[in-house]
Amino acid sequence: MKFLFDFFPVALFFVAYKLADIFVATMVAMAASVAQVAWTWFRHRRTENTQVITLILVVVLGGATLWLKDPLFIKWKPTLVNGLFALAFLLSHFIGEKTIVERMMGHALTLPAAIWRKVNLSWVAFFTAMGLANLYVVYSFDEATWVNFKLFGILGLTFAFVLLQGVFLGRFVKPDTEVEQSKER
């Protein structure tokens, strides 16, 4: 559910683009991002770093798009967001005792450190690939194709990647009977 909530501004951007143009869609995305972060703050009394980073980039790049009447700024947002995430995941190999993936999923899975590193590096590769894919679409296709890719392509590729991660991690999950037997020893 949280994953879909995070795509709320993107979905509204898509609808606004289909009904109007890139500039209206940019204003809608900016407003939706502000509303999303405000809702999270009022509901939980905290916000997530990913939401704040995305909000800052939407406001700055969206503002530049509107002010300069150049949609290229907002088109770069997915690349910059993915690049920042890739950098953060990569730096977590060197800063702190656990990678970001282990911090996020360590409560649900017990894995050797080497596996956590592989999973974390796969996210670095995924975020990097998504950023590069966005640039490819921005510079190789028309605006309407980019808008479709922004919603359907990025969402679909993310779902596929998460599914593959689940298959990979599933190999390391022990059935409940094995867990109980190891606790009894």
Side-chain angles (χ1 to χ4, degrees):
M1 189 67 165
K2 181 199 166 310
F3 182 73
L4 294 176
F5 181 69
D6 288 344
F7 268 94
F8 167 72
V10 175
L12 289 181
F13 176 90
F14 177 81
V15 170
Y17 178 81
K18 295 298 181 183
L19 295 175
D21 63 19
I22 191 92
F23 301 107
V24 171
T26 298
M27 287 187 280
V28 167
M30 291 168 70
S33 295
V34 168
Q36 180 186 52
V37 170
W39 170 260
T40 302
W41 171 256
F42 287 119
R43 184 136 193 244
H44 304 288
R45 290 291 178 221
R46 66 176 196 78
T47 58
E48 294 186 21
N49 292 339
T50 57
Q51 287 178 333
V52 173
I53 290 167
T54 301
L55 173 63
I56 291 168
L57 287 173
V58 165
V59 169
V60 169
L61 297 172
T65 291
L66 298 173
W67 186 44
L68 300 172
K69 305 260 187 268
D70 185 353
L72 193 58
F73 292 100
I74 200 66
K75 290 179 180 180
W76 266 77
K77 186 203 68 95
T79 295
L80 293 175
V81 167
N82 281 300
L84 288 172
F85 291 162
L87 182 62
F89 276 61
L90 181 62
L91 290 176
S92 75
H93 278 264
F94 310 105
I95 300 170
E97 294 181 21
K98 296 180 180 180
T99 63
I100 289 177
V101 170
E102 186 176 358
R103 288 181 215 154
M104 291 177 2
M105 298 175 54
H107 68 282
L109 291 169
T110 302
L111 300 173
I115 300 301
W116 283 122
R117 283 194 236 302
K118 283 182 184 179
V119 172
N120 197 70
L121 285 174
S122 70
W123 278 99
V124 171
F126 175 75
F127 287 132
T128 302
M130 292 305 296
L132 293 173
N134 180 67
L135 287 180
Y136 175 74
V137 174
V138 165
Y139 289 107
S140 300
F141 297 95
D142 65 358
E143 187 175 274
T145 301
W146 173 77
V147 170
N148 286 329
F149 173 75
K150 183 174 166 40
L151 177 62
F152 300 112
I154 291 175
L155 182 62
L157 290 168
T158 302
F159 275 136
F161 181 74
V162 168
L163 184 65
L164 289 171
Q165 285 279 302
V167 170
F168 174 76
L169 292 172
R171 300 182 312 162
F172 300 99
V173 175
K174 296 178 182 179
D176 289 339
T177 55
E178 284 184 41
V179 172
E180 290 301 321
Q181 288 174 353
S182 66
K183 284 182 182 177
E184 292 174 3
R185 293 180 192 162

